[in-house]
């Protein structure tokens, strides 16, 4: 509701300017620091003062007195040296926010709406997922939920690099170290936790190469065989990657993360996606064959990004003249003919926008419990009932900040091909890495030196086999949550305690991964994440449990009480005004205002591409409700009209908290 009224205020201000022939001054609104100063303010008079050569306060007075009536705004006042403050109709706001929360309209995007693609997770299908992958998935999935809340049509892609070096290394491990046949590996892949087996093997292969560098020839040989898709090595790669992807889907399902389509790199190669992109890049002169230097024999793209230069280099003519051309060149095709990751990703990005002129076939890969199907690419004709994938107008690639340079290369490739609009809508949704607190690393069984214990976080490395597997982490969290649930609800049925424990564990993890801004390095810690106090998922979940306990106890006191009646109650507007009067009712108004601000927070999080903003809002709403709960004794309130209002306010907060948590991918359990 806040979002709606603020939009009306902006529209009224724009109309005020238009009537005076002013069309190029941005309309800016902001939230005052306290409700005594209103709910929305604008500093627009200060900007107009420069142009009109008049005092800001004089202009603000004119705006305050001449603006047309705005639905939802009770009054408009001049403030300070030139601010205009808008005061909401509190009773009307509460009634509208309550009705909206009780009976939310459909936000399903129409099939004709422009589509945006969000690509996230993208775990190499060679080993178990680890905690860093969970941050990618949590960020990507939450951003998808926010976009859909805003009415956007979203397609969720999870790119599967099944022909890359990491898969090749595991194939080397099975074929050359373990001497396993394809049938033997297929049998292993059918057993539980095949991804764990490959995790250990991958670390051993790394050591295998380090012991004798000549063995790296096995990697090159295997990589080439996988890329052409022939022979036992290619068969092994297919067995391994498909089995690992299924493991990853199971892991992500535990976090309530779903996908629409799994485009595979093997089909990008076999369907000649890269060949089409390669030809276009050559024709446009975007890439060229290097004849000398360290990149001799490679097809390279020159980039003017400033990256790769020496620390003391500058952009003047002399510096450019003496710079090594190889320093600003990115290899797209290696001298042996294999395509680099970024080359294939340029082709993939073209496909996402529907610019390649080619498409995959699709087959059903997995069906989620709710019936949603995830499709995967195939080189064959595929299933004719498959939806249309790709053809996006906007693409978000959720990839960690270490890949920023490569993402810039992809965008440069689009620009080099003349696709300026699509390049501008290719967005790198970057984030920093996840590490472990020293305490967490010790709890997970890692032996740390004194120096490591003194550091703020412990870095992990999948290649070295160091890190926390995602499922191990989830198991540990569920075990810890289960101990708390068992202690509080020993008489609750086993299945229900398991569900509650799962909800708390996932809530703890997802909130912990989302509450930090994307640029922050996270040091994960069990105790901090699972705490029922402070800024945590369980704290936010508990606020919903507390609200539901009020309703349950109210039903015990008054048999005719029901949530359905509460949701349908219109309420006495006069009494609502009495309870939220300026001054004495400000504390209740602040709770109602915050609860009615959910979509404004969603809009802010989307605009900034920062899910942490929604996490912070959810915590603040939970915190405000807990303070409200301690100040107002609802069940023993003697004034029945006030008690009914307090119940309705509790219901509004509970609904908005459930919605906000749902956008974060967190369930609100009935008990904790």
């Amino acid at each position: 509701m806040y979002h709606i009224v603020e939009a009306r205020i902006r529209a009224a201000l724009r109309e005020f300017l238009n009537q005076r022939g002013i069309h190029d001054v941005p309309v800016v609104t902001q939230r005052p620091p306290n409700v005594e100063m209103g709910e929305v303010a604008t500093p627009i008079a200060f900007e107009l003062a420069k142009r009109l050569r008049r005092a800001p306060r004089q202009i603000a007075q004119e705006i305050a007195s001449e603006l047309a009536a705005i639905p939802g705004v009770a009054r408009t006042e001049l403030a300070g040296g030139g601010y205009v403050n808008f005061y909401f109709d509190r009773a009307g706001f509460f009634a509208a926010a309550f009705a909206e929360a009780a009976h939310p309209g459909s936000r399903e995007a129409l099939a004709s709406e422009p589509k945006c693609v969000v690509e996230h997770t993208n775990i190499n299908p060679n080993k178990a997922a680890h905690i860093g992958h969970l941050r990618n998935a949590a960020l990507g999935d939450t951003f998808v939920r926010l976009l859909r809340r805003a009415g956007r049509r979203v397609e969720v892609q999870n790119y599967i690099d099944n022909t890359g070096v990491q898969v090749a290394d595991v194939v080397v491990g099975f074929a050359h170290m373990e001497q396993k046949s394809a049938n033997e590996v297929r049998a292993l892949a059918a057993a539980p936790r095949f991804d764990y087996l490959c995790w250990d093997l991958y670390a051993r292969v790394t050591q295998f190469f380090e012991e004798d560098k000549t063995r790296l020839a096995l990697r090159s040989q295997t990589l080439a065989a996988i890329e052409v898709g022939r022979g036992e090595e290619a068969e092994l790669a297919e067995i391994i990657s498909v089995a690992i992807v299924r493991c990853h889907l199971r892991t992500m399902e535990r976090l309530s993360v779903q996908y629409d389509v799994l485009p595979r790199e093997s089909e990008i190669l076999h369907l000649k996606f890269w060949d089409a992109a390669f030809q276009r890049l050559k024709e446009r002169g975007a890439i060229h064959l290097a004849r000398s230097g360290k990149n001799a024999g490679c097809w390279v793209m020159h980039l003017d990004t400033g990256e790769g230069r020496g620390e003391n280099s500058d952009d003047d003519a002399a510096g450019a003249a003496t710079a090594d051309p190889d320093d600003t060149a990115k290899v797209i095709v290696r001298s042996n003919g294999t395509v680099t990751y970024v080359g294939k990703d340029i082709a993939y990005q073209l496909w996402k926008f529907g610019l390649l002129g080619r498409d995959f076939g699709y087959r059903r890969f997995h069906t989620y419990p709710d019936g949603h199907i995830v499709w995967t690419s195939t080189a064959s004709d595929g299933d004719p009932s498959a939806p249309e994938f790709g053809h996006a107008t906007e693409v978000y690639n959720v990839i960690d900040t270490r890949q920023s340079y490569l993402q810039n290369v992809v965008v440069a490739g689009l620009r080099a091909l003349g696709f300026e609009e699509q390049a501008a809508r290719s967005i790198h949704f970057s984030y920093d890495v996840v590490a472990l607190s020293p305490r967490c690393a010790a709890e997970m069984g890692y032996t740390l030196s004194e120096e490591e214990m003194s550091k703020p976080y412990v870095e992990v490395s999948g290649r070295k086999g160091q890190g926390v597997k995602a499922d191990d982490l989830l198991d540990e969290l569920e075990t810890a949550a289960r101990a708390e649930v068992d202690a509080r609800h020993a008489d609750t049925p086993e299945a229900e305690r398991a569900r509650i424990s799962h909800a708390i564990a996932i809530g703890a993890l997802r909130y912990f991964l989302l509450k930090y801004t994307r640029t922050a390095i996270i040091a994960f810690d069990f105790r901090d994440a699972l705490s029922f106090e402070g800024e945590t998922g369980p704290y936010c979940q508990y606020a919903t449990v507390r609200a539901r306990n009020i309703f349950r106890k109210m039903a015990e006191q008054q048999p005719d009480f029901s949530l359905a009646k509460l949701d349908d109650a219109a309420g006495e507007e006069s009494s609502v005004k009495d309870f939220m009067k300026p001054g004495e009712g400000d504390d209740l108004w602040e709770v109602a205002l915050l609860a009615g601000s959910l979509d404004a927070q969603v809009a802010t999080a989307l605009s900034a591409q920062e899910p942490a903003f929604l996490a912070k809002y959810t915590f603040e709403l939970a915190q405000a409700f807990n303070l409200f709960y301690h100040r107002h004794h609802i069940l023993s309130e003697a004034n029945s009209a006030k008690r009914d209002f307090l119940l309705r306010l509790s219901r509004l907060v509970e609904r908005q908290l459930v919605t906000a948590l749902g956008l974060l991918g967190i369930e609100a359990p009935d008990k904790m």
Side-chain angles (χ1 to χ4, degrees):
M1 196 59 208
Y2 184 95
H3 194 46
I4 292 171
V5 179
E6 185 180 33
R8 291 172 184 163
I9 292 169
R10 287 173 178 265
L13 289 168
R14 172 52 60 200
E15 180 61 23
F16 177 87
L17 295 176
N18 289 342
Q19 288 175 355
R20 287 153 180 78
I22 301 171
H23 305 291
D24 57 347
V25 172
V27 174
V28 176
T29 56
Q30 53 195 222
R31 196 157 185 163
N34 56 66
V35 294
E36 288 86 357
M37 301 172 70
E39 286 68 53
V40 174
T42 180
I44 198 170
F46 295 100
E47 184 65 29
L48 291 172
K50 302 172 189 175
R51 176 172 304 200
L52 302 178
R53 299 182 181 278
R54 293 168 57 195
R57 186 174 173 83
Q58 186 183 40
I59 297 171
Q61 181 63 63
E62 184 179 319
I63 294 172
S65 60
E66 296 185 19
L67 267 186
I70 302 170
V73 176
R75 68 184 194 278
T76 306
E77 292 184 357
L78 169 68
Y83 283 91
V84 181
N85 290 356
F86 299 85
Y87 293 80
F88 286 4
D89 171 3
R90 294 185 175 187
F93 180 94
F94 176 77
F98 187 89
E100 184 181 34
H103 306 288
S106 173
R107 295 174 184 267
E108 191 70 28
L110 298 174
S112 58
E113 289 291 315
K115 182 202 294 183
C116 64
V117 161
V118 178
E119 177 203 339
H120 69 78
T121 306
N122 306 343
I123 311 171
N124 288 316
N126 71 317
K127 65 181 186 306
H130 60 62
I131 189 172
H133 300 132
L134 296 183
R135 186 178 196 188
N136 184 308
L139 281 169
D141 180 64
T142 300
F143 193 63
V144 167
R145 292 167 187 258
L146 289 170
L147 287 166
R148 287 176 173 159
R149 172 75 181 185
R152 297 289 303 277
R153 186 162 70 100
V154 187
E155 178 177 298
V156 185
Q157 298 182 5
N158 179 4
Y159 181 73
I160 308 300
D161 183 3
N162 61 338
T163 68
V165 169
Q166 290 80 7
V167 172
D169 282 358
V170 177
V171 171
V172 168
F174 278 122
H176 298 281
M177 294 175 62
E178 299 287 316
Q179 301 291 311
K180 300 286 187 187
S181 68
N183 284 336
E184 288 174 314
V185 174
R186 188 176 286 107
L188 290 171
R193 299 218 157 171
F194 178 65
D195 52 343
Y196 278 44
L197 173 67
C198 291
W199 173 290
D200 295 334
L201 181 59
Y202 182 55
R204 286 168 49 214
V205 171
T206 300
Q207 184 64 32
F208 177 71
F209 288 145
E210 289 176 353
E211 290 169 355
D212 184 351
K213 298 297 184 184
T214 63
R215 294 170 177 168
L216 288 170
L218 292 172
R219 173 192 281 170
S220 300
Q221 166 193 318
T222 301
L223 193 60
I226 293 171
E227 287 195 359
V228 298
R230 289 193 296 269
E232 184 159 352
E233 289 167 316
E235 184 182 1
L236 281 172
E238 178 72 1
I239 294 166
I240 293 163
S241 61
V242 169
I244 296 293
V245 168
R246 294 196 182 280
C247 292
H248 291 167
L249 291 185
R250 285 194 294 270
T251 300
M252 294 305 159
E253 220 172 311
R254 296 179 72 180
L255 270 77
S256 300
V257 174
Q258 294 187 352
Y259 312 95
D260 297 317
V261 62
L262 311 174
R264 305 196 317 161
E265 187 169 292
S266 53
E267 277 71 59
I268 287 180
L269 294 172
H270 298 161
L271 294 173
K272 309 297 183 184
F273 279 23
W274 165 245
D275 291 8
F278 184 43
Q279 189 62 35
R280 290 191 187 188
L281 288 166
K282 286 193 294 183
E283 289 171 357
R284 296 279 300 196
I287 60 175
H288 71 276
L289 183 63
R291 305 289 183 182
S292 60
K294 64 183 180 183
N295 294 329
C298 301
W299 285 90
V300 300
M301 178 186 295
H302 277 291
L303 304 167
D304 187 19
T305 64
E307 298 187 51
R309 299 183 182 184
E311 289 182 1
N312 300 318
S313 68
D314 56 35
D315 291 327
D316 62 17
T322 57
D324 184 345
D326 286 344
D327 288 345
T328 58
K330 176 59 187 172
V331 174
I332 305 299
V333 181
R334 304 180 187 94
S335 58
N336 64 2
T338 58
V339 186
T340 61
Y341 159 79
V342 73
K344 287 173 279 192
D345 212 40
I346 290 172
Y348 179 35
Q349 196 78 349
L350 288 169
W351 169 79
K352 288 177 188 173
F353 283 110
L355 300 172
L356 197 63
R358 302 188 182 193
D359 199 1
F360 302 106
Y362 301 96
R363 60 183 174 84
R364 297 166 190 256
F365 188 81
H366 178 72
T367 302
Y368 294 106
D370 64 1
H372 182 71
I373 297 168
V374 59
W375 298 78
T376 189
S377 60
T378 175
S380 65
D381 291 339
D383 188 332
S385 68
E388 180 186 74
F389 294 111
H391 298 276
T393 58
E394 194 170 38
V395 174
Y396 295 90
N397 294 326
V398 184
I399 305 174
D400 78 50
T401 189
R402 294 170 296 183
Q403 302 297 317
S404 294
Y405 173 67
L406 296 181
Q407 286 295 299
N408 288 339
V409 176
V410 171
V411 172
L414 292 182
R415 287 208 168 95
L417 290 170
F419 298 119
E420 288 288 343
E421 183 179 343
Q422 288 79 8
R425 293 181 178 178
S426 295
I427 299 152
H428 179 198
F429 194 91
S430 63
Y431 62 94
D432 220 316
V433 297
V434 181
L436 306 175
S437 72
R439 180 172 65 188
C440 178
E443 288 172 349
M444 292 300 294
Y446 289 99
T447 303
L448 304 177
S449 65
E450 288 187 15
E451 181 183 358
E452 287 174 318
M453 286 296 294
S454 66
K455 291 182 177 180
Y457 58 85
V458 177
E459 294 186 36
V460 297
S461 169
R463 185 171 286 278
K464 295 178 181 178
Q466 297 174 349
V468 176
K469 300 180 186 73
D471 282 308
D472 282 351
L473 178 61
L474 291 168
D475 290 344
E476 288 280 342
L477 285 168
E478 290 202 28
T479 299
R482 181 60 183 268
E484 295 292 332
V485 172
D486 287 348
R488 290 169 170 78
H489 304 287
D491 297 332
T492 300
E494 157 74 20
E496 187 177 350
R497 279 182 283 144
R499 284 195 300 273
I500 295 169
S501 301
H502 175 75
I504 294 171
I506 299 307
L509 178 58
R510 285 194 63 137
Y511 192 91
F512 195 92
L513 294 172
L514 293 167
K515 73 176 182 177
Y516 298 96
T517 56
R518 294 189 286 119
T519 56
I521 295 176
I522 295 179
F524 184 80
D525 186 274
F526 285 111
R527 294 184 213 175
D528 290 346
L530 276 171
S531 174
F532 278 46
E533 300 298 325
E535 192 181 349
T536 66
Y539 178 88
C540 298
Q541 289 171 308
Y542 188 67
T544 67
V545 172
R546 175 167 272 169
R548 289 167 178 172
N549 282 340
I550 294 172
F551 307 141
R552 179 177 52 80
K553 291 177 181 177
M554 188 66 196
E556 291 172 357
Q557 287 184 13
Q558 295 191 3
D560 64 338
F561 171 83
S562 73
L563 289 178
K565 288 182 180 179
L566 188 65
D567 290 343
D568 291 335
E572 293 284 340
E573 190 168 301
S574 60
S575 64
V576 170
K577 284 181 179 177
D578 289 341
F579 302 135
M580 293 194 297
K581 281 181 181 177
E584 62 187 87
D586 281 350
D587 66 321
L588 296 175
W589 167 237
E590 286 176 348
V591 176
L593 181 65
L594 188 60
S597 300
L598 172 59
D599 281 307
Q601 296 296 328
V602 169
T604 300
L606 281 174
S607 176
Q609 296 171 26
E610 189 55 85
F613 292 173
L614 179 65
K616 178 67 72 175
Y617 165 80
T618 307
F619 169 67
E620 288 175 351
L621 184 56
Q623 197 173 39
F625 178 74
N626 285 331
L627 184 59
F628 156 81
Y629 174 85
H630 288 298
R631 281 181 178 172
H632 300 275
H633 303 290
I634 300 171
L635 298 173
S636 59
E637 173 59 53
N639 183 331
S640 61
K642 184 174 183 180
R643 183 195 62 210
D644 290 346
F645 167 70
L646 295 177
L647 284 167
R648 295 179 70 220
L649 181 55
S650 300
R651 180 62 162 162
L652 172 62
V653 172
E654 182 251 350
R655 282 187 174 279
Q656 297 295 75
L657 272 175
V658 169
T659 300
L661 286 168
L663 291 171
L664 296 172
I666 298 171
E667 180 188 349
D670 289 325
K671 296 179 182 179
M672 285 182 70

